[in-house]
Amino acid sequence: MRLILTLEYDGTPFHGWAAQPGLPTVEASLRAALGETFSSVEHLAVAGRTDTGVHALGQVASVDVEDGPPPERAAAALNPRLPDAITVVSVSSAPDGFHARQSAYSRSYRYRLYTRSTPSPFELRRSWWLPRPLDEDALAAAAAVLPGEHDFRAFTPTQTQHEVFVRVIERAEWIRRGDHLDFEITADSYLRHMVRSLVGTMVESPEAIPALLEGRARLEAGVTAPPWGLYLVAVSY
C-alpha cells in the first residue's frame, strides 16, 4: 500500500532531509519511525529535499508499506516514534502512480525576515533578523519581475550538478505581517539555494534582479540568505 504523508518539521537539529551516515536527518528519523510501525517500508520519496536548517510546514512524502495501521491511524502511530521536531500531520492512501516528487507540479516556499529593532528569543533559528530599514517598495518591485520563465544561474552555486537553469515562477511577492516581512514564491522547481540567493540579493540590491535574470554569473548576485528563515510551505499536485 502506498501512503501520502504530510509533514511539519523544525529543521534546526537536522542536516537536511537526505539521510547521511552519522548525521541526524529528517529522512533517517522518518525511516526509523516507519520501520517500527510497518513490517515493510520501501520507495520513500519526498517532494522537496530541504537543506540543513530549513523548515517545512507542508512537506509531502510517499512510501510503500505493509502490515501496519490503516492510513487513518498511521499518524497517531508514527508521531510518538519521531523526534519532537518532526510531526506527521496527516496520512492518506495514494492514488495509482502517485510519487511525492515526480507528481508535484509546484512547490511554495516562504522566507521570513524579522525586522524588529531588537532580537527575539522566539525568532532564533526561525527567521533572519534584519533590524535595519528596508526599502519595501523596491523589494516589491524586484519580486514583481520574477513570475514567468527566467534563467536563474546567478542564484545557484557556481559548482553545481544542474544542467538546465531555466525555471518557471508562478508567483512571487513580499508580504508584511507585523514585525515579519515574508517573501513567498511558487515555482515548478528550484535550483539549489535559489530562494535564499534571491532573498539575499533583493535585500542587498533589489534593483539588480532584472538584469540577473538574463543568465548572469553567480558572482554578480548577492549573498545567500541563512537557511533558518526558509520554509517549505506547500506542494501542489
Side-chain angles (χ1 to χ4, degrees), residues 84-103:
D84 290 343
I86 305 173
T87 293
V88 177
V89 178
S90 64
V91 180
S92 61
S93 297
D96 291 344
F98 180 87
H99 186 281
R101 179 176 60 82
Q102 296 172 1
S103 300

Side-chain angles (χ1 to χ4, degrees), residues 111-115 127-143 146 155 173-174 176 180-184 194-210 212 218 220-226 229:
Y111 195 95
R112 172 153 277 198
L113 304 181
Y114 187 60
T115 61
S127 59
W128 184 15
W129 180 48
L130 282 178
R132 62 182 176 83
L134 296 168
D135 186 338
E136 295 187 31
D137 289 338
L139 289 173
L146 294 175
F155 302 100
E173 63 179 318
W174 286 92
R176 168 61 70 177
H180 293 104
L181 184 58
D182 297 336
F183 174 63
E184 298 194 351
M194 177 175 148
V195 177
R196 290 165 52 201
S197 299
L198 280 167
V199 169
T201 302
M202 283 189 278
V203 166
E204 282 187 349
S205 50
E207 71 285 350
I209 293 294
L212 291 168
R218 176 66 185 94
E220 297 185 47
V223 300
T224 301

Side-chain angles (χ1 to χ4, degrees), residues 156-157 160-165 167 190-193:
T156 194
T160 179
Q161 295 181 346
H162 293 296
E163 297 180 356
V164 177
F165 298 91
R167 295 294 186 271
Y190 300 84
L191 303 173
R192 187 165 182 256
H193 297 172

Side-chain angles (χ1 to χ4, degrees), residues 15-224:
H15 288 255
W17 165 268
Q20 303 175 58
L23 295 174
T25 65
V26 180
E27 181 184 12
S29 297
L30 181 58
R31 282 189 182 277
L34 288 165
E36 294 174 10
T37 306
F38 300 94
S39 65
S40 174
V41 177
E42 295 183 333
H43 306 127
L44 177 61
V46 70
R49 291 170 56 130
T50 50
D51 291 334
T52 298
V54 174
H55 315 296
L57 302 175
Q59 178 71 280
V60 177
S62 57
V63 63
D64 294 338
V65 298
E66 293 181 4
D67 299 328
E72 62 270 19
R73 296 210 300 270
L78 287 166
N79 283 326
R81 294 167 169 149
L82 286 165
D84 290 343
I86 305 173
T87 293
V88 177
V89 178
S90 64
V91 180
S92 61
S93 297
D96 291 344
F98 180 87
H99 186 281
R101 179 176 60 82
Q102 296 172 1
S103 300
Y105 66 80
S106 70
R107 297 158 181 82
S108 297
Y109 283 87
R110 175 182 301 143
Y111 195 95
R112 172 153 277 198
L113 304 181
Y114 187 60
T115 61
R116 196 175 73 177
S117 61
T118 54
S120 168
F122 302 107
E123 294 295 323
L124 186 65
R125 300 289 170 175
R126 301 289 185 279
S127 59
W128 184 15
W129 180 48
L130 282 178
R132 62 182 176 83
L134 296 168
D135 186 338
E136 295 187 31
D137 289 338
L139 289 173
V145 305
L146 294 175
E149 184 176 278
H150 304 287
D151 187 324
F152 286 93
R153 73 186 66 217
F155 302 100
T156 194
T158 302
Q159 300 298 320
T160 179
Q161 295 181 346
H162 293 296
E163 297 180 356
V164 177
F165 298 91
V166 172
R167 295 294 186 271
V168 178
I169 308 299
E170 296 179 15
R171 167 183 169 262
E173 63 179 318
W174 286 92
I175 302 173
R176 168 61 70 177
R177 297 181 171 107
D179 289 326
H180 293 104
L181 184 58
D182 297 336
F183 174 63
E184 298 194 351
I185 184 169
T186 300
D188 59 343
S189 63
Y190 300 84
L191 303 173
R192 187 165 182 256
H193 297 172
M194 177 175 148
V195 177
R196 290 165 52 201
S197 299
L198 280 167
V199 169
T201 302
M202 283 189 278
V203 166
E204 282 187 349
S205 50
E207 71 285 350
I209 293 294
L212 291 168
L213 295 176
E214 298 173 358
R216 300 291 182 86
R218 176 66 185 94
L219 58 81
E220 297 185 47
V223 300
T224 301

